[in-house]
Amino acid sequence: MMEKIKEAADHIKSIYGGQPGVGIVLGSGLGSFTNEINIEKEIPYADIPHFPISTVAGHSGKLIFGELSGKKIVAMAGRFHYYEGYTAQQIVFPIRVMKFLGIQTLLLSNAAGGVNTSLKVGDLMIITDHISQLAPNPLIGKNYPELGPRFPDMSEPYKKDLINKVKAIAAQKGIKVKEGIYVVVTGPTFETLAEYKMILAMGGDAVGMSTVPEAITAVHMGLPVFAMSVITDVGIREDHTAVTHEEVLQAAKAAEPNFAALFIELVAQL
Ligand code: HPA
């Protein structure tokens, strides 16, 4: 695997000579954030050796290199999910490659279902912690000491200083942000009512199908992480109506301007 990571990173370096300091993963419905980037180079995943290829509507599947807030960044437009049939190790491959490209901070985003009743559709939620017991861990299997330790500490997966920075930016811009615990599930089914209630009972505030494997991998490599959810639906509904992917994409789109304002200023302050 080390070889594959290096081959992918070397291939990218042969195409793009810049040095990104920040990696950004864009969640469902947040792809228009790429309009904020002064794009220098786009590389489709299909052109990168050993990269999986994204299959979900709303995830376009390329690495975007360029400038944001005057900083060199790399953004993943489209990420990989366990429900697509990839292994947990394949899902996190791009995160490892971005580390080998030299990023020093990883910013993650996602669309998530709210389970804490204080969360409403369109809310932005800073992920303060996660519960990863309902989905496979990407570090299962051979450990590569060049990447990190066999038993990584997870006492602060999401860096407090980054969380505090975003809270200060939000306060200064008058953008409301909430904080909460994200529970990752495999999907692709949205949860049953009983499952949403279980997730709430186990201490979760929101639930989704991504982000946590990527955060775990980054922490394993000593890469600081910040993560934010856009609440696109609420799980425990009085009317028991269905959750749809279209609804999720729509709600994420609506919340995108505030999300973008926070990420742009956070990158400026890194
Ligand atoms: N559950 C799981 N994943 C999700 C949801 C949800 O309700 N909304 C967006 N992603």
Side-chain angles (χ1 to χ4, degrees):
M1 188 184 53
M2 297 307 304
E3 212 101 295
K4 287 184 175 171
I5 297 169
K6 284 174 195 153
E7 273 174 31
D10 286 347
H11 180 79
I12 291 164
K13 284 179 196 167
S14 75
I15 297 173
Y16 175 74
Q19 164 63 74
V22 183
I24 303 175
V25 181
L26 298 170
S28 299
L30 297 171
S32 64
F33 180 79
T34 57
N35 296 334
E36 313 288 347
I37 302 168
N38 192 353
I39 297 175
E40 293 170 355
K41 191 86 204 166
E42 296 188 342
I43 308 179
Y45 294 155
D47 293 354
I48 306 171
H50 314 300
F51 250 58
I53 292 161
S54 185
T55 61
V56 195
H59 293 265
S60 66
K62 59 191 172 194
L63 281 185
I64 297 174
F65 292 87
E67 269 187 12
L68 182 72
S69 309
K71 307 262 168 77
K72 296 270 188 217
I73 63 116
V74 51
M76 282 181 72
R79 59 147 61 93
F80 304 102
H81 305 84
Y82 195 67
Y83 62 75
E84 293 175 85
Y86 302 114
T87 64
Q89 290 78 17
Q90 284 177 302
I91 291 167
V92 299
F93 184 77
I95 307 298
R96 290 173 165 157
V97 171
M98 288 196 288
K99 171 78 160 90
F100 276 63
L101 293 176
I103 66 165
Q104 281 149 29
T105 310
L106 180 66
L107 310 183
L108 301 170
S109 60
N110 62 49
V115 290
N116 181 326
T117 52
S118 73
L119 290 171
K120 307 290 177 227
V121 171
D123 278 354
L124 297 175
M125 186 190 90
I126 295 171
I127 299 178
T128 55
D129 206 344
H130 69 230
I131 296 174
S132 179
Q133 302 304 306
L134 302 176
N137 191 302
L139 304 184
I140 289 172
K142 179 173 159 60
N143 187 58
Y144 295 87
E146 307 96 299
L147 295 178
R150 173 73 288 188
F151 300 107
D153 171 70
M154 281 288 149
S155 56
E156 193 187 328
Y158 306 94
K159 284 286 173 213
K160 289 221 170 66
D161 61 329
L162 295 175
I163 291 172
N164 289 336
K165 264 197 178 76
V166 172
K167 285 165 71 175
I169 293 165
Q172 185 246 324
K173 290 188 179 294
I175 296 171
K176 261 182 49 188
V177 285
K178 305 212 168 148
E179 294 173 66
I181 295 169
Y182 178 90
V183 177
V184 62
V185 293
T186 64
T189 44
F190 290 113
E191 291 62 44
T192 65
L193 182 58
E195 286 166 342
Y196 281 122
K197 287 179 177 172
M198 174 193 72
I199 287 160
L200 180 64
M202 73 197 283
D205 296 299
V207 55
M209 306 174 193
S210 69
T211 303
V212 169
E214 296 149 350
I216 288 173
T217 305
V219 172
H220 182 231
M221 299 185 293
L223 182 61
V225 181
F226 173 81
M228 178 169 272
S229 290
V230 177
I231 303 301
T232 54
D233 53 278
V234 292
I236 301 167
R237 305 184 184 213
E238 295 300 321
D239 55 4
H240 293 222
T241 51
V243 181
T244 66
H245 186 52
E246 288 65 37
E247 162 190 10
V248 166
L249 293 179
Q250 197 101 57
K253 233 186 179 151
E256 204 272 340
N258 279 344
F259 160 80
L262 294 177
F263 268 42
I264 289 167
E265 184 55 27
L266 175 58
V267 171
Q269 293 188 17
L270 289 175

